[in-house]
């Protein structure tokens, strides 16, 4: 069975500070891993994905995530937060041949001026 | 391309009323999904479809029915709405090839309130 755990339902950073959103997964087969972002009153959009190629994945808006199999983690980072990064972020897992994607509970990112 | 669209955007129902949410996608995707989003619970899968004429239950299917009569449309029905169905509903779709990786494309959501 697959599952996703996002550590911290709320994260607050200052503008210009490092953003780190944590995600741990469990999967009995090699996973596909995703980060989605949801801005207020909008649907989710893909930020980046890991599909078994490079373990360090770069996404849109300066975000990146590193797949660490030994730690079963896929943490999302951005070196310098911008006010426009304030949103809810969801980590998700799927796998080859599967129809479903499992989503974490989400982490709301607040950016302080 | 419009991507994934959802109708309506907002709706208020009284307990016991029925309604249908419409999802349409113009990307020729095989797989379509209905999720509900509740605070602190992420997205939970209600029903999904792997092709025209097929549907399957997800994690929280009770109280909902779906139909996929055309490949581009996926309908979600509430036969007798309950306050517990107050939520934001998202439709999503993805292609079926190996290189699709189950990457989901989402609609803008429908905010439903049941009084």
């Amino acid at each position: 069975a697959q599952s996703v755990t996002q550590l911290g339902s709320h994260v607050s950073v200052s503008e210009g500070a490092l953003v780190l959103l944590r995600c741990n997964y469990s999967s009995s087969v090699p996973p596909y891993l995703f980060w989605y972002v949801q801005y207020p009153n909008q649907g989710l959009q893909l930020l980046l994905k890991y599909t078994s190629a490079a373990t360090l994945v770069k996404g849109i808006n300066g975000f990146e995530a590193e797949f660490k199999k030994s730690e079963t983690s896929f943490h999302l980072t951005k070196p310098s937060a911008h006010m426009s990064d304030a949103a809810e972020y969801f980590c998700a897992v799927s796998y080859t041949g599967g129809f479903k994607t499992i989503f974490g509970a989400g982490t709301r990112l607040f950016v302080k001026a | 391309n419009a991507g994934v669209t959802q109708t309506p955007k907002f709706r208020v129902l009284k307990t016991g009323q029925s309604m249908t949410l419409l999802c349409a996608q113009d990307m020729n995707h095989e797989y379509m999904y209905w999720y509900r989003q509740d605070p602190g619970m992420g997205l939970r899968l209600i029903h999904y479809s792997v092709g025209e004429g097929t549907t399957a239950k997800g994690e929280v299917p009770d109280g909902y029915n779906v139909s996929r009569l055309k490949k581009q449309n996926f309908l979600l029905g509430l036969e007798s709405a309950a306050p517990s169905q107050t939520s934001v509903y998202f439709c999503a779709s993805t292609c079926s090839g190996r290189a699709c990786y189950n990457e989901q494309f989402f609609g803008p959501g429908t905010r439903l309130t049941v009084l």
Side-chain angles (χ1 to χ4, degrees):
Chain A
Q2 298 178 306
S3 66
V4 176
T5 302
Q6 292 184 240
L7 299 177
S9 58
H10 296 84
V11 170
S12 182
V13 301
S14 297
E15 193 172 21
L18 172 72
V19 175
L20 171 60
L21 304 183
R22 299 177 187 273
C23 172
N24 288 89
Y25 70 92
S26 76
S27 178
S28 55
V29 296
Y32 299 141
L33 294 161
F34 308 85
W35 277 99
Y36 289 87
V37 60
Q38 183 182 30
Y39 298 104
N41 300 315
Q42 295 185 25
L44 281 70
Q45 57 184 276
L46 183 71
L47 205 54
L48 50 79
K49 63 178 181 272
Y50 166 77
T51 60
S52 78
T55 57
L56 182 62
V57 181
K58 294 187 185 299
I60 60 173
N61 301 336
F63 284 93
E64 62 181 36
E66 186 172 9
F67 171 67
K68 292 187 176 181
K69 184 177 179 180
S70 61
E71 298 177 7
T72 61
S73 68
F74 190 57
H75 300 333
L76 181 70
T77 60
K78 181 174 181 178
S80 177
H82 192 272
M83 296 297 287
S84 60
D85 295 327
E88 189 153 23
Y89 292 80
F90 292 91
C91 183
V93 62
S94 185
Y95 61 93
T96 303
F99 302 124
K100 302 177 189 177
T101 299
I102 307 300
F103 289 84
T107 297
R108 185 167 295 279
L109 176 66
F110 297 92
V111 182
K112 299 175 292 186
Chain B
N1 289 348
V4 180
T5 58
Q6 292 183 232
T7 308
K9 288 185 169 50
F10 303 93
R11 186 73 186 268
V12 178
L13 291 178
K14 294 181 179 179
T15 297
Q17 288 184 318
S18 63
M19 79 164 293
T20 300
L21 283 67
L22 170 63
C23 175
Q25 53 94 5
D26 61 1
M27 297 173 284
N28 201 36
H29 285 170
E30 287 291 335
Y31 303 162
M32 296 186 74
Y33 308 83
W34 276 107
Y35 296 92
R36 59 178 290 172
Q37 182 180 25
D38 302 290
M41 303 189 76
L43 274 73
R44 292 183 292 169
L45 182 63
I46 305 171
H47 286 279
Y48 65 100
S49 168
V50 298
E52 182 178 315
T54 73
T55 62
K57 293 180 180 180
E59 181 185 354
V60 288
D62 294 342
Y64 305 95
N65 56 76
V66 288
S67 65
R68 183 111 181 259
L69 299 180
K70 294 183 179 180
K71 184 178 183 179
Q72 64 267 35
N73 295 337
F74 195 29
L75 278 62
L76 178 70
L78 286 73
E79 291 184 346
S80 179
S84 61
Q85 294 177 304
T86 293
S87 187
V88 181
Y89 292 85
F90 287 101
C91 177
S93 69
T94 186
C95 53
S96 60
R98 190 179 183 91
C100 295
Y101 306 115
N102 287 338
E103 176 185 338
Q104 311 250 309
F105 292 80
F106 284 86
T110 294
R111 188 174 296 273
L112 175 66
T113 300
V114 182
L115 302 175

